[in-house]
Amino acid sequence: MSAAPASPTPKPYGSAKDLPSYRELSQQIHVLGSITLFVMRAQRKKILAIRHDLDRLVAVVDEFYDRLGVQQWIFHDQLNIVELETILAQTATAEAAEQRLIELYRDRETLSLWILRLNAHHGLKVRRRQIQRAFDHYFADEFDSATLQLIAVMDGFVNDFQPAARRGLAAREPEEMAAWDSVVGHHLGLTHAMKAFHKTFKKRVDEEVFEIHRHGMVHGSIVNFDNVVVATKAWCMLFAVADWACATTKAATPALPEPRWGTLWPQIQQLYAQRRFRDEFVPSQLLPSDPCFDNQDIVVQATAFLQAWRYQRWGLVARFAPPTSAGRAKRSAVQAKAMLERHRLGAFTVSQVCFDVACAAQIHAQAELNGIPGEITFRMVSYGPTGVVGIPGEPEVNWLLATWMAPRPVESGLAG
């Protein structure tokens, strides 16, 4: 028998997007867990590389909590290990690391992407308006109102999450918010932050507060919490609660039979094809002057969506709903009509496609909207047949809208 392969050398990742999240790594190891020593040598090296990534993530999580856990910061699955490694390496104190972490949340594009992923939870999707209000207030430096909005979102979401119990976040004991299959399950994670969340305040507190004390904030006992620290911690806690919901749902799902090699191998191939695509991705753009611009798949799909919107073919518009909203054609068509009917689209021309991240693109179009000429933008993502992000150009991969919501005015047009 040949000697076991040496441990893989840590790979320098090209960007913060390249390293998978904790949940992705856990899923990959679950898929690969039953592979034995008889697997070909090349695949064993890949398995060891995945395990190395997970060990690396665990080390960063532990250092994160050593530095910031006492201050009720929570490591959730939206955070990126590469960015956090950089923050922890470049700071020497908890205060400095906290400031850098807040800067990460204060990036509008980053926080927008994190919020977009919350749509996977129906209870958060129906509270999209509150979350958007919190987002607007957060970037307008209205931190106390953003905090109160997010507290209401978390409380209501947890109340809806388990209909049989009907108890919001404020009524839950910290132990009930344990998440064993998620990084928020750390002993300084969500359950630790819940202790401050639950604390009762019977007298007015005039000193500035930097923790999320729901009771005092909602009931008016705490009067000075209009600061970026507490508002950012509210965002942090919201993402941690979403992770708890994912872990709780997974724990309640009956275990599937152990996969056989015949089903494992295609999954492994797909996982690494997607990984390679992300690793090798280079931002680019398409312009009308490029050869075959009109025949590019994403241009064809974007044009079809705009054409259906222009002529109010709501059933056709509904075909571009993201997987989290698709499934009930009639309901999706009704939603499409409700969102877009008041925005009358006239003549349009797709003017640019920006591939800024792997498997997603921003579409720019010159268009008449409600009789006023200008630019509109919307985002599309390539989804595979199972509803997960797929590699553009592969069979059964389609460009769909990134989010299913009404467009709203922005400086450069309308964002869909």
Side-chain angles (χ1 to χ4, degrees):
M1 181 179 293
S2 60
S7 298
T9 302
K11 165 185 166 182
Y13 290 90
S15 72
K17 301 188 293 294
D18 292 334
L19 188 65
S21 67
Y22 175 87
R23 187 176 297 124
E24 289 172 326
L25 286 168
S26 298
Q27 288 172 344
Q28 290 181 41
I29 287 180
H30 175 73
V31 169
L32 297 170
S34 63
I35 299 178
T36 69
L37 291 174
F38 297 101
V39 176
M40 65 185 75
R41 187 183 183 90
Q43 300 309 317
R44 290 169 61 198
K45 288 182 179 180
K46 290 180 180 179
I47 296 167
L48 289 174
I50 294 174
R51 291 192 181 279
H52 174 270
D53 285 348
L54 186 59
D55 290 342
R56 179 184 176 189
L57 176 57
V58 169
V60 174
V61 170
D62 285 342
E63 186 176 354
F64 173 92
Y65 279 119
D66 285 345
R67 189 90 63 89
L68 297 168
V70 176
Q71 287 84 13
Q72 278 78 48
W73 290 103
I74 309 169
F75 192 114
H76 53 78
D77 205 52
Q78 302 276 28
L79 293 170
N80 187 281
I81 183 175
V82 176
E83 292 173 335
L84 287 178
E85 275 184 324
T86 302
I87 290 173
L88 295 170
Q90 295 179 353
T91 57
T93 65
E95 292 74 19
E98 180 179 73
Q99 183 59 42
R100 290 285 299 278
L101 185 62
I102 290 173
E103 290 174 5
L104 186 61
Y105 281 83
R106 294 284 280 173
D107 182 271
R108 295 181 74 98
E109 291 187 6
T110 296
L111 189 57
S112 294
L113 179 60
W114 292 355
I115 290 171
L116 180 62
R117 294 169 181 162
L118 294 178
N119 283 338
H121 301 275
H122 178 70
L124 292 175
K125 184 179 176 182
V126 297
R127 291 174 171 83
R128 175 74 188 194
R129 184 174 180 275
Q130 280 180 283
I131 295 173
Q132 183 63 49
R133 182 75 61 86
F135 180 90
D136 293 340
H137 288 190
Y138 183 64
F139 285 101
D141 294 347
E142 298 169 358
F143 301 119
D144 50 358
S145 56
T147 301
L148 290 172
Q149 288 282 354
L150 293 173
I151 288 174
V153 169
M154 289 186 281
D155 219 8
F157 169 62
V158 174
N159 183 72
D160 291 350
F161 179 70
Q162 294 172 322
R166 288 295 180 194
R167 289 186 298 125
L169 189 59
R172 302 269 182 160
E173 295 298 324
E175 294 74 18
E176 294 181 74
M177 303 305 294
W180 303 109
D181 193 30
S182 170
V183 285
V184 300
H186 194 283
H187 72 281
L188 289 177
L190 183 57
T191 55
H192 178 70
M194 286 286 291
K195 296 175 183 177
F197 191 81
H198 273 312
K199 187 175 180 179
T200 300
F201 292 82
K202 295 183 178 179
K203 295 182 179 179
R204 191 180 75 245
V205 177
D206 295 325
E207 295 81 12
E208 189 170 18
V209 170
F210 297 94
E211 308 298 344
I212 306 175
H213 299 299
R214 177 196 178 278
H215 182 273
M217 293 171 176
V218 171
H219 294 284
S221 300
I222 296 176
V223 297
N224 189 359
F225 60 98
D226 188 18
N227 59 73
V228 69
V229 176
V230 73
T232 307
K233 286 182 180 179
W235 284 113
C236 181
M237 194 169 186
L238 173 63
F239 296 123
V241 168
D243 284 357
W244 164 81
C246 287
T248 302
T249 300
K250 183 177 179 180
T253 303
L256 297 174
E258 283 296 319
R260 297 180 178 274
W261 175 249
T263 58
L264 281 173
W265 178 241
Q267 294 179 52
I268 294 170
Q269 288 181 307
Q270 183 63 26
L271 284 170
Y272 278 95
Q274 292 176 351
R275 178 70 173 274
R276 281 196 307 273
F277 184 79
R278 289 199 303 268
D279 289 346
E280 297 170 2
F281 172 78
V282 177
S284 63
Q285 61 181 8
L286 285 173
L287 297 172
S289 57
D290 294 330
C292 303
F293 175 81
D294 291 334
N295 295 326
Q296 296 291 331
D297 186 43
I298 189 168
V299 177
V300 172
Q301 296 303 316
T303 301
F305 162 67
L306 292 171
Q307 196 82 346
W309 176 10
R310 179 182 182 183
Y311 293 107
Q312 301 188 346
R313 303 285 300 278
W314 307 123
L316 296 181
V317 171
R319 296 179 184 178
F320 294 94
T324 53
S325 300
R328 296 185 179 178
K330 185 176 180 180
R331 185 181 66 181
S332 295
V334 171
Q335 290 176 336
K337 182 178 180 180
M339 289 187 293
L340 298 175
E341 188 176 33
R342 65 183 182 276
H343 303 291
R344 297 302 300 268
L345 183 67
F348 66 87
T349 303
V350 176
S351 56
Q352 186 181 28
V353 178
C354 296
F355 297 98
D356 49 357
V357 296
C359 306
Q362 189 81 1
I363 317 298
H364 297 256
Q366 298 300 317
E368 244 184 40
L369 197 65
N370 295 326
I372 301 173
E375 183 182 66
I376 60 172
T377 65
F378 56 98
R379 197 162 187 79
M380 301 188 86
V381 175
S382 57
Y383 286 105
T386 60
V388 298
V389 174
I391 300 174
E394 287 195 341
E396 299 185 83
V397 172
N398 295 303
W399 288 100
L400 305 176
L401 296 176
T403 181
W404 194 230
M405 58 181 294
R408 62 187 182 88
V410 293
E411 290 182 3
S412 59
L414 293 176

